[in-house]
Amino acid sequence: MDNHLVKLREIVKIYRTGETELKALKGINLDVKPGDFLAVMGPSGSGKSTLMNIIGCLDKPTSGKYFLEGKEISKYNKNQLALIRNKKIGFVFQTFNLLPRTTALENVELPLLYTKISGKRRRELARKALAQVGLAGRENHRTNQLSGGEQQRVAIARALINNPTLILADEPTGNLDTKTGDEILEIFKNLNKNKGITIIMVTHDPHVAEMAKRIIYLRDGEIVDEKLNI
């Protein structure tokens, strides 16, 4: 029985434009266990975003195998991958990706709109997710009335609504000042420690990476180093 949540074997990703080939990932091998908190570091163009897109089922590898919860999903079609994204993975981005002029509650409910869950239950779950990130009482504020830190909390609540096994965070503190960024990182740490949610986070900031249990370093599409934070 494989006890890895994410297992990548010889993952290669090649982008082709005309005659030009860009090898963004060059045979990545990576194991992530349930409950892990992994930071992915590396300079621009090292393959961090490509790696996250493949783990997040937003893109498929050119070759290699990707197993999620023991199932080889590198062979899945677009519809199957969309289902995995909706049920298993929560996404948090640097730019929050919230709908403007809609309330915090409406933004958090979004991933459930395509399910059979009733409107009443959707709102209950959205309120619970917002409470988890410290936004109880702010549900009806429109996103453009919220601070950057509060908007990122809404984005994390939206990522939590489907009770995901895995959260992927791409530079989640990139648009925030240090103090607000640290508050957001504290939320991730608590979700990881108290809820057992596995987190993979891309960052260029060593201070942010130190919050994780493990750090891998990418360069030119390869993992060149790994560090454990004790």
Side-chain angles (χ1 to χ4, degrees), residues 12-17 19-26 45 50 62:
V12 171
K13 182 64 184 178
I14 298 167
Y15 294 107
R16 293 185 176 88
T17 45
E19 297 293 302
T20 317
E21 267 194 8
L22 171 67
K23 209 168 187 182
L25 297 176
K26 302 170 182 172
T50 304
T62 306

Side-chain angles (χ1 to χ4, degrees), residues 117-137:
I117 294 170
S118 72
K120 186 183 174 202
R121 180 70 181 137
R122 275 204 315 266
R123 286 186 288 280
E124 273 174 24
L125 291 169
R127 281 197 174 87
K128 187 180 164 195
L130 283 163
Q132 276 184 286
V133 297
L135 285 181

Side-chain angles (χ1 to χ4, degrees), residues 157-191:
R158 184 182 57 195
L160 288 172
I161 190 97
N162 275 335
N163 204 18
T165 353
L166 173 65
I167 286 183
L168 299 180
D170 194 354
E171 299 281 8
T173 61
N175 281 344
L176 305 172
D177 62 68
T178 309
K179 180 178 176 294
T180 310
D182 284 349
E183 289 168 3
I184 293 300
L185 290 171
E186 208 51 47
I187 291 173
F188 282 124
K189 274 181 83 171
N190 287 334
L191 290 171

Side-chain angles (χ1 to χ4, degrees), residues 70-201:
K71 295 188 176 115
E72 190 186 340
I73 63 169
S74 31
K75 291 179 174 170
Y76 280 21
N77 65 33
K78 278 185 180 176
N79 289 343
Q80 289 171 310
L81 290 174
L83 204 61
I84 294 275
R85 281 198 305 274
N86 205 27
K87 288 192 176 235
K88 303 277 184 191
I89 303 171
F91 296 91
V92 180
F93 300 97
Q94 178 177 350
T95 49
F96 317 141
N97 284 12
L98 301 176
L99 292 177
R101 297 185 297 282
T102 52
T103 65
L105 197 71
E106 287 166 333
N107 269 280
V108 174
E109 279 183 321
L110 271 177
L112 298 181
L113 288 180
Y114 305 104
T115 66
K116 291 174 182 172
I117 294 170
S118 72
K120 186 183 174 202
R121 180 70 181 137
R122 275 204 315 266
R123 286 186 288 280
E124 273 174 24
L125 291 169
R127 281 197 174 87
K128 187 180 164 195
L130 283 163
Q132 276 184 286
V133 297
L135 285 181
R138 309 281 282 166
E139 299 94 345
N140 295 319
H141 283 68
R142 294 186 185 279
T143 50
N144 52 4
Q145 297 171 319
L146 300 173
S147 69
E150 287 172 329
Q151 288 186 49
Q152 192 59 298
R153 286 169 189 252
V154 173
I156 296 169
R158 184 182 57 195
L160 288 172
I161 190 97
N162 275 335
N163 204 18
T165 353
L166 173 65
I167 286 183
L168 299 180
D170 194 354
E171 299 281 8
T173 61
N175 281 344
L176 305 172
D177 62 68
T178 309
K179 180 178 176 294
T180 310
D182 284 349
E183 289 168 3
I184 293 300
L185 290 171
E186 208 51 47
I187 291 173
F188 282 124
K189 274 181 83 171
N190 287 334
L191 290 171
N192 176 250
K193 188 178 174 183
N194 303 327
K195 299 273 178 191
I197 296 174
T198 308
I199 297 171
I200 302 177
M201 174 174 68

